[in-house]
């Protein structure tokens, strides 16, 4: 079946612009995760959904970051008033829903803020 | 606190050599999960293996093998007879039952030269 898909794959934004990143999880996967990966580093957790409920947003770096999953499927990560330090790869992952289950990752969105 | 350490930043080998990637983890949880992911130049994180803390059996899958040792908190990954296609960044990650996020190491870049 289809894996996790993300769009756009690349995004260039001017500082101060708002951006929206989309994630389409594997069909039937209850849990959805967002991670941020800076250059040369491992992915770092941003937020987590179980169905439409955002159960953990402890990793969001500031109130400029906002995520939603209104119907329990597709999710959008929004960054308002982008800053240069927001430049990174944003990875989305999904899993069946039980803790400890394998998370399957999408190809990521590479964001460059100029 | 939970932590994953991949002390090897970069490893270079010649094709057909065996190579071992080290992973050391820290957790106070008695139940936890360990993962290895491969990140080729395309950027997508590819799942390789998942182990739970109760199963210390080593695993072999083709040229890949994993050595899980709770006594030393290590989960090392060996590639036998490496190939150029194995060139990628490899991440070790830790998950626990009391959290949904994965904690990643900083990754090991493996370069296999022909």
């Amino acid at each position: 079946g289809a894996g996790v898909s993300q769009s756009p794959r690349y995004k260039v934004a001017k500082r101060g612009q708002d951006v929206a990143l989309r994630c389409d999880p594997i069909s039937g996967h209850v849990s959805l995760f967002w991670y941020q990966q800076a250059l040369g580093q491992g992915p770092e957790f941003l937020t987590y959904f179980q169905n439409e409920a955002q159960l953990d947003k402890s990793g969001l770096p500031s109130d400029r970051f906002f995520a939603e999953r209104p119907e329990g499927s597709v999710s959008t990560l929004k960054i308002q008033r982008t800053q240069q330090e927001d430049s990174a790869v944003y990875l989305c992952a999904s899993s069946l829903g039980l803790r400890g289950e394998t998370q399957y990752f999408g190809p990521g969105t590479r964001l460059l803020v100029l | 606190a939970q932590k994953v350490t991949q002390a090897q930043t970069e490893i270079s080998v010649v094709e057909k050599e065996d190579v071992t990637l080290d992973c050391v983890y820290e957790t106070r949880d008695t139940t936890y999960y360990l993962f290895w992911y491969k990140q080729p130049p395309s950027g997508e994180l590819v799942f390789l293996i998942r182990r739970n803390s109760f199963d210390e059996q080593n695993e072999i899958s083709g040229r890949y093998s994993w050595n899980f040792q709770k006594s030393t908190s290590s989960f090392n990954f060996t590639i036998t007879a490496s190939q150029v296609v194995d060139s990628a960044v490899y991440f070790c990650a830790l998950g626990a039952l009391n959290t949904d996020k994965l904690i990643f190491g900083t990754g090991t870049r493996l370069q296999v030269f022909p």
Side-chain angles (χ1 to χ4, degrees):
Chain A
V4 178
S5 60
Q6 293 185 247
S7 61
R9 290 294 312 277
Y10 303 92
K11 177 69 178 178
V12 179
K14 291 183 179 178
R15 192 174 57 178
Q17 277 186 332
D18 297 348
V19 298
L21 313 180
R22 176 189 168 108
C23 173
D24 207 330
I26 294 172
S27 177
H29 277 194
V30 170
S31 297
L32 185 146
F33 304 81
W34 284 98
Y35 292 83
Q36 180 190 60
Q37 186 177 20
L39 191 63
Q41 299 297 313
E44 293 196 355
F45 172 80
L46 293 176
T47 187
Y48 154 66
F49 291 85
Q50 188 160 16
N51 294 306
E52 67 278 5
Q54 188 174 20
L55 299 186
D56 187 349
K57 53 182 180 179
S58 61
L60 295 177
S62 76
D63 58 8
R64 296 185 295 103
F65 287 70
F66 172 76
E68 60 183 4
R69 194 187 185 198
E71 296 178 0
S73 178
V74 171
S75 176
T76 303
L77 176 66
K78 297 178 180 177
I79 309 174
Q80 297 176 324
R81 304 181 304 282
T82 52
Q83 304 294 314
Q84 285 186 325
E85 61 262 28
D86 299 335
S87 296
V89 176
Y90 291 85
L91 294 164
C92 177
S94 69
S95 75
L96 285 171
L98 296 176
R99 281 181 171 169
E101 284 288 339
T102 299
Q103 295 181 23
Y104 295 93
F105 284 80
T109 294
R110 187 176 297 274
L111 173 65
L112 177 62
V113 181
L114 302 177
Chain B
Q2 297 181 331
K3 186 179 178 182
V4 175
T5 301
Q6 295 180 256
Q8 304 152 308
T9 305
E10 188 163 340
I11 301 175
S12 295
V13 299
V14 177
E15 217 172 9
K16 298 185 182 177
E17 282 186 33
D18 299 346
V19 58
T20 295
L21 310 181
D22 297 333
C23 172
V24 174
Y25 62 92
E26 295 176 31
T27 180
R28 293 181 181 177
D29 297 312
T30 55
T31 301
Y32 52 89
Y33 300 87
L34 295 165
F35 302 83
W36 275 95
Y37 288 87
K38 174 182 180 180
Q39 190 172 44
S42 61
E44 185 166 348
L45 278 169
V46 178
F47 165 72
L48 296 178
I49 189 170
R50 167 184 177 267
R51 303 296 283 177
N52 72 53
S53 52
F54 297 110
D55 185 0
E56 283 193 75
Q57 271 194 332
N58 292 329
E59 183 155 338
I60 298 175
S61 176
R63 296 184 297 107
Y64 295 171
S65 61
W66 291 269
N67 183 0
F68 176 26
Q69 298 214 348
K70 286 178 76 169
S71 60
T72 56
S73 297
S74 66
F75 186 44
N76 297 337
F77 172 32
T78 297
I79 302 174
T80 302
S82 59
Q83 300 177 0
V84 172
V85 294
D86 295 328
S87 297
V89 180
Y90 290 86
F91 290 96
C92 180
L94 169 68
L97 276 190
N98 64 351
T99 181
D100 302 283
K101 63 185 177 184
L102 294 179
I103 306 296
F104 284 84
T106 51
T108 297
R109 180 177 299 277
L110 173 65
Q111 293 196 73
V112 182
F113 294 99

